[in-house]
Amino acid sequence: MLSPKFALYIHIPFCISKCSYCDFCSFVPSKKQIEDYICALKEEIKVAGERAGGRLVTSVYIGGGTPSVLPDGAIAEIMECAREHFIILNACCTTIEANPNSFTREKAYEYMLAGCSRLSLGMQSHSPKILKILNRVHDFKDCKNAIENALHYNIKDINIDVMLGVPEQTMRDVKETLKKVVELPVTHISAYGLICEPNTPLTRAIEKRELALPTDELAVDMYDYAVEFLDKHGFKRYEISNFAKAGFQSEHNLNYWNRGAYLGLGLGAHSFLDGIHWQNTENFKEYIKNPSECQKDIEHETIKTAKEETIMLALRTTMGLNIEEYNRLFNADFLNEYKSVISLLLENGLVEIKDNYLRVRNPYISNAIISEFF
Ligand SMILES: C[S@@+](CC[C@H](N)C(=O)[O-])C[C@H]1O[C@@H](n2cnc3c(N)ncnc32)[C@H](O)[C@@H]1O
Ligand code: SF4
C-alpha cells in the first residue's frame, strides 16, 4: 500500500535490433542520437533532482530498450549525474537491463563501479527456433557468458526474462527453457505471457496465419507448469509473472505494486509522485529539445482512482490486498464497499480471504477478476 519509498527509473530507448513482438519505446539509434540523448537525459536528471527536493532514493532501475547498447562509459556518466542530483546511498538496489550478447566483461566492470547491484537479462527462450521467431540476436551461450561476466564483478542478484505462449512454442520448448534457466546461478525469473501488440511484425504474421499461437489451453498449461516447476526449484511466485529465491524479490517492482512513488527519467518514462501520474513524451526530437518540460497525460489521482489502483496492483501479487491497510488508508470498509462482487467471487472459489488479505486463487485469470471490481 502507501509506502515511503521513492524509486528512480532511467529509460534508455535504444536496441541493437527490434524484436518482432516489441512495442516498447525503443529503436536502433545512430551515434549522434545516442550522444544527443545522453546530453538531454543528464539535463533532465539535473532539473528533476532540483524538483524532487532531496528525497532519499530507495531503488534505481535502468531499463529500456537495452541500456547495455550504450557506448562504454555512458552508464557510469549517467549514474554519476544521478548521484550528483539525487540522494542515492551505496546500499540502494540498482538494476540494469541488458541483452545477453551486449553484456561484456568490460560492461560488467563499468556497471559494478557505477553502483549496479542487480542485472536483468532478456533470455526469452533456450530454443533457437523460438529466438528466431522473436527476432532475438543472441543464444543461450551468450546468456551464460553474460552471467559469468556479472558474477566475476560480484553482481550476484540476477534476473532472467523468459516468454511463454509464443507462436510455434511447444510444451517441450518451455520445459527445456525452464530446466536450463534453473540450472543457472540466478536469483529471479520473470516469465511473461506473450502480449500480441498491434502493428508489430509478430502480430502481423499471426494475423496472416504465417505463425500460429499456442491454443489458450496450452498457454494456461505452460504457465501452470512454470509456476509448479519454478516453485520446486526454489523460485516462489510473488506476482503474476515474477518468481524469486528467498530474499530476492525485486524491490523496485514491489514499490510499483505497493503504489510507492517513482520518478521516470528519459524518453517515454512514466512517473507517479505526490498523487500525480504523468509520462514523458515518446517523441525523440521533442525530448531532446526540452527534456525537462515534455510531460504529457498529467493526471491527479482521486480517491476513486487511488482505490482502484490499490486493488488492481495488490491483486497481481500473491500476498494480495491487505484489507486492514486499505480501510486505514481510505477510511473505508472494503468488505462492505465491494460486498456483492466479493460474495460472488468467494462463492465461485475465485478469491480467498485469509489473515485479513484478499487473494486471487488462480493468477492466470487475475486480470478478469480485477476487472470485476471496476
Ligand atoms: C523492455 S524488455 C527489456 C530487456 C531487454 N531489452 C531485452 O529485451 O532483453 C523487458 C522484457 O519485457 C518482455 N516483453 C517485451 N515485450 C513483450 C510482449 N509483447 N509480450 C510479453 N513480454 C514482452 C521481454 O521478456 C523483455 O525481456
Ligand atoms: S531488446 Fe528488449 S526493448 Fe529492445 S526490441 Fe527487444 S524486447 Fe524490445
Side-chain angles (χ1 to χ4, degrees):
M1 297 269 172
L2 261 198
S3 120
K5 304 222 162 173
F6 174 55
L8 272 193
Y9 173 79
I10 302 176
H11 190 70
I12 309 297
F14 305 133
C15 291
I16 295 171
S17 56
K18 197 75 190 166
C19 302
S20 62
Y21 53 89
C22 179
D23 82 336
F24 278 60
C25 177
S26 73
F27 60 94
V28 181
S30 67
K31 200 165 164 251
K32 168 89 169 65
Q33 283 173 319
I34 294 181
E35 284 164 10
D36 288 350
Y37 189 72
I38 295 172
C39 193
L41 183 60
K42 283 166 62 181
E43 169 64 20
E44 190 193 0
I45 292 173
K46 182 172 159 253
V47 176
E50 283 157 18
R51 288 180 184 159
R55 294 173 200 239
L56 179 71
V57 175
T58 46
S59 66
V60 178
Y61 198 101
I62 310 169
T66 312
S68 54
V69 304
L70 287 184
D72 290 349
I75 290 292
E77 195 180 323
I78 292 165
M79 279 307 292
E80 195 183 314
C81 179
R83 282 177 201 284
E84 205 179 306
H85 298 286
F86 289 89
I87 308 168
I88 304 175
L89 301 182
N90 285 341
C92 168
C93 176
T94 299
T95 304
I96 187 153
E97 281 180 348
N99 266 7
N101 61 347
S102 55
F103 193 74
T104 58
R105 186 77 45 118
E106 291 74 24
K107 292 256 149 106
Y109 182 57
E110 176 193 336
Y111 298 172
M112 178 272 291
L113 288 182
C116 299
S117 50
R118 187 168 182 274
L119 172 70
S120 179
L121 281 176
M123 171 178 147
Q124 319 310 349
S125 175
H126 171 257
S127 151
K129 171 191 80 181
I130 298 298
L131 289 172
K132 193 155 175 239
I133 288 173
L134 297 176
N135 197 30
R136 300 290 299 193
V137 286
H138 52 80
D139 59 20
F140 185 63
K141 211 164 124 247
D142 291 325
C143 211
K144 280 171 97 171
N145 287 342
I147 291 171
E148 234 170 68
N149 292 336
L151 294 176
H152 186 81
Y153 289 110
N154 217 23
I155 302 176
K156 292 182 188 153
D157 192 358
I158 301 173
N159 168 62
I160 293 282
D161 287 339
V162 297
M163 284 172 74
L164 308 173
V166 173
E168 314 297 323
Q169 193 176 36
T170 61
M171 192 60 157
R172 203 170 148 187
D173 293 326
V174 169
K175 287 185 176 175
E176 184 68 8
T177 293
L178 294 174
K179 182 170 168 282
K180 291 284 176 191
V181 173
V182 298
E183 283 166 10
L184 296 169
V186 299
T187 51
H188 192 284
I189 296 166
S190 299
Y192 297 114
L194 173 74
I195 299 168
C196 291
E197 301 289 359
N199 294 322
T200 55
L202 189 67
T203 301
R204 282 196 291 272
I206 294 165
E207 283 164 357
K208 282 198 238 153
R209 296 178 190 270
E210 290 163 6
L211 290 169
L213 282 171
T215 60
D216 286 349
E217 206 179 21
L218 179 55
V220 173
D221 285 350
M222 286 172 176
Y223 178 79
D224 287 345
Y225 177 83
V227 173
E228 204 184 315
F229 180 82
L230 293 177
D231 187 89
K232 236 188 254 166
H233 288 82
F235 294 89
K236 306 286 171 202
R237 191 179 74 83
Y238 67 104
E239 192 266 352
I240 299 177
S241 311
N242 285 280
F243 305 79
K245 290 231 166 119
F248 288 98
Q249 296 184 350
S250 162
E251 210 177 313
H252 191 81
N253 288 345
L254 279 174
N255 183 50
Y256 288 135
W257 301 318
N258 289 335
R259 268 175 40 87
Y262 56 91
L263 182 62
L265 302 162
L267 190 70
H270 291 261
S271 301
F272 174 56
L273 201 56
D274 298 332
I276 306 171
H277 287 275
W278 73 89
Q279 186 188 3
N280 280 355
T281 179
E282 289 162 291
N283 180 313
F284 189 76
K285 280 193 186 148
E286 217 172 277
Y287 178 77
I288 297 300
K289 215 163 136 197
N290 208 347
S292 50
E293 296 300 338
C294 63
Q295 299 87 353
K296 59 170 193 165
D297 301 339
I298 301 170
E299 263 179 45
H300 291 254
E301 70 175 3
T302 61
I303 294 285
K304 183 173 179 287
T305 59
K307 279 181 172 177
E308 288 181 356
E309 214 177 85
T310 301
I311 296 169
M312 179 184 77
L313 293 171
L315 292 188
R316 291 183 62 92
T317 65
T318 43
M319 205 184 248
L321 178 84
N322 182 334
I323 297 170
E324 213 172 272
E325 176 87 350
Y326 178 99
N327 291 344
R328 192 185 60 75
L329 267 178
F330 297 113
N331 193 21
D333 179 352
F334 176 74
L335 294 178
N336 206 21
E337 210 172 321
Y338 293 97
K339 197 169 170 183
S340 54
V341 58
I342 293 172
S343 314
L344 194 71
L345 293 171
L346 282 171
E347 267 166 36
N348 287 288
L350 297 173
V351 296
E352 62 180 13
I353 296 178
K354 218 167 146 191
D355 304 330
N356 234 326
Y357 278 84
L358 176 88
R359 288 186 197 93
V360 171
R361 297 189 70 181
N362 178 355
Y364 202 80
I365 52 167
S366 296
N367 288 340
I369 291 173
I370 289 165
S371 67
E372 292 296 317
F373 285 88
F374 310 129

